[in-house]
Amino acid sequence: MDPIGTYDYTTEAYSLDFMRRLPLPTLGNYLLDAATRHAEERGAGYTVMERRGTAWVLSRLAIEVIDADGLAAPIRVSTWAEAMERIFIKRCFEVTSAATDKPLAYARSIWAAIDKNTRRPTSLAGAWPDRMMVPGRHCPVEIAGRIAAAEAAPDDAPDTRTVRYSDLDINGHLNSIKHMEAMLDGFDLETYRKASVQHFEISYHAEGRYGTQLARFRRTLSPGTFACALVDGDRAISRALIRFV
Amino acid sequence: MDPIGTYDYTTEAYSLDFMRRLPLPTLGNYLLDAATRHAEERGAGYTVMERRGTAWVLSRLAIEVIDADGLAAPIRVSTWAEAMERIFIKRCFEVTSAATDKPLAYARSIWAAIDKNTRRPTSLAGAWPDRMMVPGRHCPVEIAGRIAAAEAAPDDAPDTRTVRYSDLDINGHLNSIKHMEAMLDGFDLETYRKASVQHFEISYHAEGRYGTQLARFRRTLSPGTFACALVDGDRAISRALIRFV
């Protein structure tokens, strides 16, 4: 079986944002869907993982947008594993125009397989990575070493957001896509009118629990580049780095 | 061309809710997607409507769930127009199991075609309804005459929710699916643990504008049956009727 999986997605007009662009969380959803289908087809899907008492957990995701307008038309997502590092697997994505094959975006992600009882990472020793791995294939997007703590020097007082039923994933925690939405909601419409997101990167640190009030902090790192954080009490549950162009 | 359009959807595990059920807003998204594709294939899609200076607007949606567990597996959505009433078109949906053809849910919806400049309904005279219409086909779900005003006698003080970037649709207003999420967020996890939504009905009255703080009211009509309202200032922008079993 081809170690690269390729899947098509079309965003209908009613799901575009007010600038007629593909909302980045929707693109994130397509990436997660492609990753899930790719893993399932190669014997490392949800059911197999669950039978082993394990689950995939997304740890980092970085997206580099090449052509924001092109993403609003039918797209093709290719995904493959790039490297396995003891307890992490790195997965890459290339997003192209379904009509022209032109590259529109790239993404890189880091996943851990955790033990469902202890919630700790488990070894990835096993056959799957070989079925998915294409080391060295072109994927021009970097994951930063560490994202600056927005809450240490925020631009303003934080907004708040309570974790509700519709935010929850199958584990009862704030869905990874909802983290993305919350980060992007830290910017006003003027920002989205004048610019679009070129680089979006998120790191997940802890579970967003039901009923907690999360504080969203934003910090300008340089013109157009921001660090964001979702904070529960005194702990950041996720951090993001967002660059507009 | 068959007046009935049929489309397949699969919800991956990571998109199920904490009870491993298909979230109702996700089902709503599938219904809107099926409606969009059905209309496009029959010459009444977004581009054609826009060329005429018009757009489809969802006015009412009622969903009746027959088998909540079945919806978590691959499903098939069939849709057709049932009736045309001067400025409204009624569209029905049947949701079946892709594996067994067993009915899992039904939905009925009411749409208006509005003039994009005046925002007022325009006549639906034209050829499309004939290409989509199947009057009298079985669709066991009712749309209530009028949903009780939750804010007139609420159970408690309302929650609030501010309309942010990620809530907006292509017109810059609160997305119809986000209305559904907001309504369902008025219930706690205990409710979803003990019961599941059997009937969900929503009526859209006004646009949810960016930056406004919406109040969410809930009113118990009878045990397990609730009216909800999203209120901007002194005006309900949408109302819902939700029945749990």
Side-chain angles (χ1 to χ4, degrees):
Chain A
M1 180 171 253
D2 190 343
I4 302 171
T6 299
Y7 311 93
D8 284 2
Y9 300 93
T10 297
T11 306
E12 299 293 347
Y14 72 87
S15 294
L16 298 176
D17 77 4
F18 80 106
M19 293 298 289
R20 307 193 164 210
R21 295 190 196 117
L22 175 64
L24 218 57
T26 307
L27 177 59
N29 227 335
Y30 296 159
L31 300 180
L32 296 192
D33 186 72
T36 302
R37 292 166 66 181
H38 177 256
E40 267 168 15
E41 290 163 5
R42 285 154 189 84
Y46 186 83
T47 317
V48 172
M49 292 295 279
E50 184 144 272
R51 211 179 300 135
R52 298 171 72 242
T54 55
W56 289 114
V57 170
L58 179 59
S59 170
R60 302 287 290 260
L61 173 66
I63 301 173
E64 188 84 17
V65 175
I66 314 283
D67 176 355
D69 293 334
L71 289 170
I75 59 172
R76 185 156 290 156
V77 175
S78 298
T79 182
W80 64 94
E82 176 188 46
M84 194 177 87
E85 292 170 0
R86 208 170 51 90
I87 54 167
F88 289 110
I89 189 165
K90 275 194 194 167
R91 175 186 282 285
C92 293
F93 302 88
E94 182 186 56
V95 184
T96 56
S97 158
T100 66
D101 274 343
K102 189 174 165 279
L104 304 173
Y106 289 93
R108 182 169 266 127
S109 58
I110 300 179
W111 302 72
I114 62 160
D115 182 292
K116 291 194 68 173
N117 291 318
T118 65
R119 311 292 297 166
R120 295 176 64 88
T122 61
S123 165
L124 282 168
W128 337 301
D130 304 333
R131 295 183 213 158
M132 310 182 191
M133 193 99 85
V134 190
R137 187 182 143 111
H138 185 64
C139 186
V141 50
E142 293 306 321
I143 290 183
R146 190 169 169 278
I147 298 172
E151 71 276 27
D155 293 344
D156 295 296
D159 280 347
T160 59
R161 184 189 198 289
T162 303
V163 180
R164 301 285 184 207
Y165 162 73
S166 72
D167 294 320
L168 301 182
D169 62 18
I170 193 169
N171 297 312
H173 304 124
L174 185 67
N175 188 308
S176 13
I177 299 298
K178 296 281 182 174
H179 281 262
M180 294 181 68
E181 287 188 0
M183 298 296 190
L184 293 164
D185 282 347
F187 301 90
D188 63 12
L189 292 201
E190 252 332 271
T191 307
Y192 290 102
R193 239 179 234 123
K194 288 188 195 148
S196 77
V197 177
Q198 181 191 50
H199 186 88
F200 179 93
E201 185 168 344
I202 186 164
S203 61
Y204 298 98
H205 302 275
E207 288 149 353
R209 292 166 303 148
Y210 179 75
T212 54
Q213 197 179 57
L214 301 176
R216 174 184 45 228
F217 290 89
R218 201 185 83 180
R219 172 182 177 181
T220 305
L221 299 178
S222 64
T225 303
F226 303 87
C228 301
L230 283 185
V231 176
D232 177 6
D234 58 0
R235 184 177 190 194
I237 63 162
S238 54
R239 296 190 190 285
L241 183 70
I242 303 180
R243 191 169 65 238
F244 289 88
V245 285
Chain B
M1 181 172 250
D2 190 342
I4 302 171
T6 300
Y7 311 94
D8 283 3
Y9 300 93
T10 298
T11 305
E12 299 293 348
Y14 71 87
S15 295
L16 298 177
D17 77 3
F18 80 106
M19 291 299 289
R20 306 195 165 207
R21 295 190 196 119
L22 175 63
L24 217 56
T26 306
L27 177 60
N29 228 335
Y30 297 159
L31 301 181
L32 297 192
D33 186 72
T36 302
R37 292 166 65 182
H38 177 256
E40 267 169 13
E41 290 164 5
R42 285 154 189 84
Y46 186 82
T47 317
V48 171
M49 292 295 278
E50 184 144 271
R51 212 179 299 136
R52 297 172 71 241
T54 55
W56 288 114
V57 170
L58 179 60
S59 169
R60 303 286 292 259
L61 173 66
I63 300 173
E64 188 83 18
V65 176
I66 313 283
D67 175 356
D69 293 333
L71 290 170
I75 58 172
R76 185 155 291 156
V77 175
S78 298
T79 182
W80 65 94
E82 176 188 46
M84 194 177 88
E85 292 171 0
R86 205 168 56 88
I87 54 168
F88 290 110
I89 189 165
K90 276 195 194 166
R91 173 185 282 287
C92 292
F93 302 88
E94 182 187 56
V95 184
T96 56
S97 158
T100 65
D101 275 343
K102 188 173 164 282
L104 305 172
Y106 288 93
R108 181 170 267 128
S109 57
I110 300 179
W111 303 72
I114 61 157
D115 180 293
K116 291 194 68 174
N117 291 318
T118 64
R119 311 293 294 167
R120 296 176 63 88
T122 61
S123 165
L124 281 169
W128 338 301
D130 303 332
R131 296 182 213 159
M132 311 183 190
M133 195 99 85
V134 190
R137 188 182 143 112
H138 185 64
C139 186
V141 48
E142 292 306 321
I143 290 184
R146 191 169 167 279
I147 299 172
E151 72 276 27
D155 292 345
D156 294 297
D159 280 347
T160 59
R161 183 188 199 289
T162 303
V163 181
R164 301 285 186 207
Y165 162 72
S166 72
D167 294 321
L168 302 183
D169 62 19
I170 193 169
N171 297 312
H173 304 124
L174 185 67
N175 188 310
S176 15
I177 299 299
K178 296 282 180 170
H179 281 262
M180 293 180 68
E181 287 189 1
M183 298 296 190
L184 293 164
D185 283 347
F187 301 90
D188 64 12
L189 292 201
E190 251 334 270
T191 308
Y192 290 102
R193 237 179 238 122
K194 287 189 197 149
S196 76
V197 177
Q198 180 191 52
H199 185 88
F200 179 93
E201 183 167 345
I202 187 165
S203 62
Y204 298 97
H205 302 275
E207 289 149 353
R209 293 164 303 147
Y210 178 75
T212 54
Q213 198 180 56
L214 301 176
R216 174 186 45 229
F217 290 90
R218 201 187 83 181
R219 173 180 176 182
T220 305
L221 299 179
S222 65
T225 302
F226 303 88
C228 301
L230 283 185
V231 176
D232 177 6
D234 57 0
R235 185 177 189 193
I237 64 163
S238 54
R239 297 190 189 285
L241 182 71
I242 303 179
R243 192 171 62 239
F244 289 87
V245 282

